[in-house]
Amino acid sequence: MEFISLSSVLETGGLYKNISGSTTEEVFSSICKTVALPSGISADELYDALCAREAINPTSVGNGIAIPHSKTPLVKNNDEQKVVICYLKEPIDMNAPDGRKVFVMFLILSSNVHFHQQMIVQLAAMFKRSDFRHALEQHADLKTLLKFAS
């Protein structure tokens, strides 16, 4: 299996600020209407998939971070896989294990389980770093965050 660099898929996914919404569903709706989606995925399809996955088990991981994703891969083309960073306009409650409201999301858009698992492992390693979490709390730009993914 080929190793996929988190920094390359973060760069592809980009960073979006001031995502609006006061509930998880409203935030997902804003994300789906705002981010550049891979070909073959509609905003409605992604929204439904994110909400269905969230209903099974919250995707918040603590420290104000969530990793929303669909239960099954939606991306058709491997070259269009990405991780999108979304800073929320206002933090929301997503039943995080530590009780903190979520202020940033890392949306994983994958075409296969292998890619998805690699991204989870690499993100988890970054989330353990206090300097990375501090950068997120400061709403660091993409260039700054990519330094942590190298």
Side-chain angles (χ1 to χ4, degrees):
M1 293 280 177
E2 174 187 354
F3 175 79
I4 300 160
S5 158
L6 178 60
S7 61
S8 67
V9 295
L10 284 172
E11 204 162 7
T12 301
L15 184 147
Y16 296 81
K17 294 186 175 190
N18 296 314
I19 298 294
S20 63
S22 58
T23 67
T24 303
E25 293 79 12
E26 289 174 3
V27 168
F28 286 167
S29 178
S30 293
I31 288 172
C32 293
K33 292 173 185 170
T34 303
V35 304
L37 298 178
S39 59
I41 300 177
S42 71
D44 289 340
E45 179 183 13
L46 179 58
Y47 173 80
D48 290 343
L50 293 176
C51 289
R53 169 60 183 86
E54 198 68 28
I56 295 169
N57 198 21
T59 57
S60 56
V61 296
N63 292 307
I65 303 166
I67 311 173
H69 55 277
S70 61
K71 188 175 170 189
T72 57
L74 296 176
V75 178
K76 311 293 186 258
N77 181 346
N78 286 350
D79 294 337
E80 293 188 274
Q81 298 181 114
K82 57 176 119 181
V83 177
V84 182
I85 303 169
C86 298
Y87 286 119
L88 308 187
K89 190 172 186 174
E90 297 293 332
I92 61 167
D93 183 5
M94 290 183 68
N95 299 314
D98 63 0
R100 282 191 65 186
K101 289 186 175 186
V102 169
F103 70 90
V104 63
M105 295 183 175
F106 288 77
L107 170 65
I108 299 176
L109 296 171
S110 64
S111 67
N112 61 73
V113 173
H114 176 70
F115 173 88
H116 178 87
Q117 290 173 335
Q118 275 195 49
M119 295 307 104
I120 293 286
V121 167
Q122 291 180 61
L123 286 168
M126 285 181 17
F127 296 162
K128 289 180 184 178
R129 296 182 56 174
S130 61
D131 53 349
F132 179 71
R133 292 191 314 270
H134 179 72
L136 289 175
E137 289 169 358
Q138 301 302 311
H139 290 215
D141 61 15
L142 185 59
K143 183 178 178 184
T144 301
L145 296 178
L146 286 174
K147 292 176 186 174
F148 293 97
S150 304

